[in-house]
Amino acid sequence: LQFQLTVNVVAVIVAFTGACITQDSPLKAVQMLWVNLIMDTFASLALATEPPSESLLLRKPYGRNKPLISRTMMKNILGHAVYQLTIIFTLLFAGKAPQKRLAEMQV
């Protein structure tokens, strides 16, 4: 859940911010679908390959009024999202465009 929420938060912020600043979304629809496909694959593999521990099977279920996302999870999600956004925005706005690099190589 934490992994999926982190990737979704980053994808939405990148798509929205990129569309507002550059007037074009940095992630196209097909790319967003690939991100979701890969994200769901990793999450399902993590759930399928982790063997259940005895303590996990014996613990009582969480209460109905307990939050789904704990305070620690929220800190982790926001921390990882900020880290990923920093790298993505650096590459998106400070990196050279492929067309500029190609033109420089031909000169």
Side-chain angles (χ1 to χ4, degrees), residues 96 99-107:
K96 290 185 177 182
Q99 293 85 9
K100 289 182 183 177
R101 276 185 280 171
L102 184 60
E104 288 174 358
M105 290 170 58
Q106 292 176 348
V107 173

Side-chain angles (χ1 to χ4, degrees), residues 1 5-6 11 28 38 47-48 67 69 76 92 95-96 100 104:
L1 182 65
L5 287 174
T6 303
K28 306 297 181 214
I38 291 168
L47 286 173
I69 301 171
N76 286 336
L92 185 62
K96 290 185 177 182
K100 289 182 183 177
E104 288 174 358

Side-chain angles (χ1 to χ4, degrees), residues 11 13 16 24-25 42 48 52-53 56 61-63 67 77-78 87 95 99-100 102-103 107:
I13 291 173
F16 180 76
D24 187 28
S25 178
F42 285 149
S53 64
L56 181 65
Y62 293 118
I77 289 169
L78 293 176
I87 293 174
Q99 293 85 9
K100 289 182 183 177
L102 184 60
V107 173

Side-chain angles (χ1 to χ4, degrees), residues 21-35:
I21 293 174
T22 65
Q23 303 299 322
D24 187 28
S25 178
L27 293 172
K28 306 297 181 214
V30 173
Q31 291 170 325
M32 291 285 277
L33 289 172
W34 273 106
V35 167

Side-chain angles (χ1 to χ4, degrees), residues 2-94:
Q2 183 174 329
F3 176 71
Q4 289 178 320
L5 287 174
T6 303
V7 173
N8 278 330
V9 165
V10 171
V12 167
I13 291 173
V14 166
F16 180 76
T17 307
C20 289
I21 293 174
T22 65
Q23 303 299 322
D24 187 28
S25 178
L27 293 172
K28 306 297 181 214
V30 173
Q31 291 170 325
M32 291 285 277
L33 289 172
W34 273 106
V35 167
N36 280 325
L37 178 70
I38 291 168
M39 176 189 66
D40 291 341
T41 302
F42 285 149
S44 62
L45 282 173
L47 286 173
T49 57
E50 183 178 350
S53 64
E54 191 67 30
S55 62
L56 181 65
L57 294 173
L58 294 177
R59 80 164 167 79
K60 295 195 183 281
Y62 293 118
R64 212 178 264 212
N65 298 326
K66 293 277 187 174
L68 183 62
I69 301 171
S70 68
R71 187 176 297 266
T72 304
M73 274 181 70
M74 184 57 73
K75 288 179 186 177
N76 286 336
I77 289 169
L78 293 176
H80 285 274
V82 167
Y83 174 72
Q84 291 176 20
L85 286 170
T86 302
I87 293 174
I88 290 172
F89 285 147
T90 300
L91 293 173
L92 185 62
F93 296 120

